[in-house]
Amino acid sequence: MATDQEKNKQLLLKLLERPGNGSCVDCGAADPEWASYTLGVFVCQSCSGLHRNISQISKVKSVLLDPWSDAEVEFMASNGNDAAKAKYEQKVPVFYYRPTHTDCQLLREQWIRARYERKEFVCVERQEPYSAGYREGFLWKRGRDNGQFLSRKCILSERDGVLKYFNKHDAREPKALMKIHTLNASFQPGKIGQPHGLQVTYLKDNSTRNIFVYHKDGKEMVDWFNAIRAARFHYLQVAFPGAHHADLVPKLTRNYIKEGYMEKTGPKHTEGFKKRWFTMDDRRLMYFKGPLDAYARGEVFIGSKENSYTVLPGLPPSTQGYHWQFGITIVTPDRNFLFTCETEEEQQDWMAAFQGLVNRPMLPQEYAVEANFKHKP
């Protein structure tokens, strides 16, 4: 005869089969095996660890390994993931970033805290830090030349269409003006070496400029990120009147398709290959001397096969001066670009990234980008 514990475990496994319960309520990861028995939701192991940071609200157990009481199982049965979303996500702004299981811990933890602890999507007034259209504060910014982080005053203004920062707290003129229509933000804790590290990029004279910032308060940093997304959303609404929200939201911020080291040679293909850090930002392939450089040394536009762009494995037979053995040739209407990768796996990953772009037809606005593009040696 089955014990109460075995019976309860079977009931929990049945609950996991209900619609909505088959993926983590917080990040969407498949097949969650943990649950918050005070919130009545099923979560993945990674998010269960983040729930422990709000133990006054959420208490977690393993579905398979921990003992469950009849009352706890009944509570899970009367709630569940869909009911929790209906309760805690009533008024999530369309621009607000909903993290997935592939996102950094900071985004996932603040998403959890925003819903259950701060109840930001039940009380709209709590969304003011990123919904007001104006944000001002201090962020630690990495120095371009010395790599030191220094406190910098930052202002985001939807009305002026800019994000700006000041080198001195009492300065009248900003050190940099970043226009919202070219702005992007991406959390890069590993690269920056700060758990709350954010990479902000913008275009200056059609070249990419990076700044690296962080704040010691995780909520503060995620509020800045969502304020940038709000500003981008409202700009795009004006730029593309009548566009569906679903079409605008993917354009608010973007993660890079791929980053990493490759070797490259110059336009004559006779120079020695040099190791460079590459970033694939949509159709812009940029290369830097190092991952935290402020300016790209050069940028390559990757168009579509209909426009005579091709990606080939290997290098031309006459090529010399390279150290890494796994080559890639990108054929463009202007010239061929030669790269080498350290491993075959890296070569395959870069090839897949390039091929995805080449196979994708170009949009009308991408023709304008290509026309303005300056291929740099």
Side-chain angles (χ1 to χ4, degrees):
M1 186 173 168
T3 65
D4 286 349
Q5 281 307 311
E6 289 169 349
K7 181 189 74 176
N8 283 340
K9 184 186 292 186
Q10 292 306 313
L11 287 171
L12 287 167
L13 292 174
K14 282 283 186 193
L15 291 178
L16 280 168
E17 296 174 8
R18 284 189 184 176
N21 291 346
S23 56
C24 173
V25 72
D26 297 319
C27 74
D31 304 319
E33 294 185 351
W34 290 74
S36 167
Y37 60 91
T38 52
L39 293 172
V41 295
F42 292 95
V43 297
C44 67
Q45 184 173 2
S46 180
C47 288
S48 75
L50 301 177
H51 276 253
R52 289 192 172 93
N53 295 336
I54 53 167
S55 57
Q56 73 280 13
I57 296 165
S58 180
K59 299 191 183 301
V60 293
K61 282 186 180 184
S62 166
V63 170
L64 299 175
L65 303 176
D66 289 325
W68 286 77
S69 70
D70 292 352
E72 288 166 348
V73 173
E74 287 170 15
F75 183 75
M76 295 299 299
S78 63
N79 287 277
N81 290 5
D82 284 353
K85 288 180 179 181
K87 178 179 179 180
Y88 294 107
E89 299 178 22
Q90 293 174 35
K91 298 172 182 176
V92 182
V94 66
F95 59 78
Y96 194 96
Y97 188 76
R98 297 169 178 255
T100 70
H101 62 95
T102 61
D103 282 303
C104 65
Q105 178 174 316
L106 173 66
L107 278 169
R108 290 184 293 113
E109 179 174 359
Q110 289 303 317
W111 171 236
I112 287 168
R113 288 184 179 275
R115 287 180 300 156
Y116 309 126
E117 185 178 52
R118 299 192 292 266
K119 295 187 172 60
E120 285 178 21
F121 312 122
V122 178
C123 306
V124 176
E125 62 273 13
R126 295 180 185 173
Q127 300 172 14
E128 192 270 342
Y130 45 82
S131 295
Y134 181 90
R135 186 173 174 83
E136 182 176 326
F138 290 91
L139 296 174
W140 293 92
K141 178 192 168 290
R142 187 180 189 274
R144 188 180 76 188
D145 300 320
N146 60 15
Q148 289 185 325
F149 282 90
L150 296 171
S151 178
R152 294 288 182 252
K153 180 182 176 181
C154 299
I155 294 176
L156 175 69
S157 171
E158 282 189 21
R159 188 184 65 186
D160 298 336
V162 295
L163 170 65
K164 50 192 174 183
Y165 75 87
F166 299 80
N167 261 3
K168 294 181 179 177
H169 294 179
D170 57 353
R172 291 187 177 183
E173 295 300 318
K175 176 67 175 174
L177 278 172
M178 299 163 256
K179 289 188 166 55
I180 284 170
H181 74 271
T182 72
L183 205 58
N184 185 43
S186 172
F187 279 101
Q188 298 277 357
K191 188 203 294 190
I192 297 172
Q194 296 287 345
H196 305 160
L198 186 73
Q199 179 173 348
V200 177
T201 64
Y202 65 102
L203 292 183
K204 185 177 181 181
D205 302 325
N206 199 44
S207 291
T208 301
R209 168 84 161 92
N210 294 323
I211 67 167
F212 302 94
V213 296
Y214 77 93
H215 195 285
K216 292 172 184 174
D217 184 326
K219 177 187 183 301
E220 186 82 5
M221 203 65 251
V222 173
D223 283 350
W224 271 103
F225 178 64
N226 280 304
I228 289 170
R229 287 177 60 86
R232 292 266 307 149
F233 179 67
H234 296 137
Y235 159 75
L236 290 170
Q237 280 186 306
V238 174
F240 301 99
H244 294 294
H245 289 176
D247 295 326
L248 298 182
V249 168
K251 296 179 170 65
L252 302 185
T253 53
R254 59 195 180 276
N255 291 325
Y256 302 123
I257 295 173
K258 182 164 172 59
E259 288 193 287
Y261 282 107
M262 290 192 290
E263 292 183 328
K264 68 168 288 294
T265 187
K268 296 179 182 177
H269 300 170
T270 55
E271 306 91 333
F273 279 68
K274 293 180 180 177
K275 181 180 173 182
R276 293 289 182 255
W277 177 265
F278 284 81
T279 296
M280 189 79 247
D281 184 8
D282 200 40
R283 292 194 183 273
R284 284 179 182 265
L285 176 65
M286 302 169 283
Y287 56 91
F288 306 82
K289 195 167 183 181
L292 297 175
D293 282 6
Y295 293 100
R297 293 292 183 99
E299 305 189 26
V300 181
F301 183 86
I302 310 292
S304 65
K305 59 189 176 186
E306 292 86 357
N307 299 87
S308 304
Y309 290 82
T310 314
V311 183
L312 303 170
L315 303 173
S318 59
T319 309
Q320 295 180 342
Y322 56 92
H323 307 96
W324 291 347
Q325 300 301 307
F326 302 95
I328 298 174
T329 300
I330 296 182
V331 180
T332 80
D334 293 347
R335 56 171 269 212
N336 293 356
F337 292 86
L338 309 183
F339 308 111
T340 59
C341 302
E342 188 172 16
T343 66
E344 186 175 9
E345 183 182 8
E346 275 290 288
Q347 179 201 38
Q348 296 301 318
D349 287 349
W350 277 110
M351 287 281 296
F354 294 143
Q355 200 64 55
L357 291 168
V358 167
N359 289 343
R360 193 179 83 199
M362 281 169 58
L363 300 170
Q365 57 266 37
E366 290 175 330
Y367 283 97
V369 175
E370 182 188 38
N372 292 327
F373 222 84
K374 301 169 185 173
H375 289 311
K376 299 180 183 179

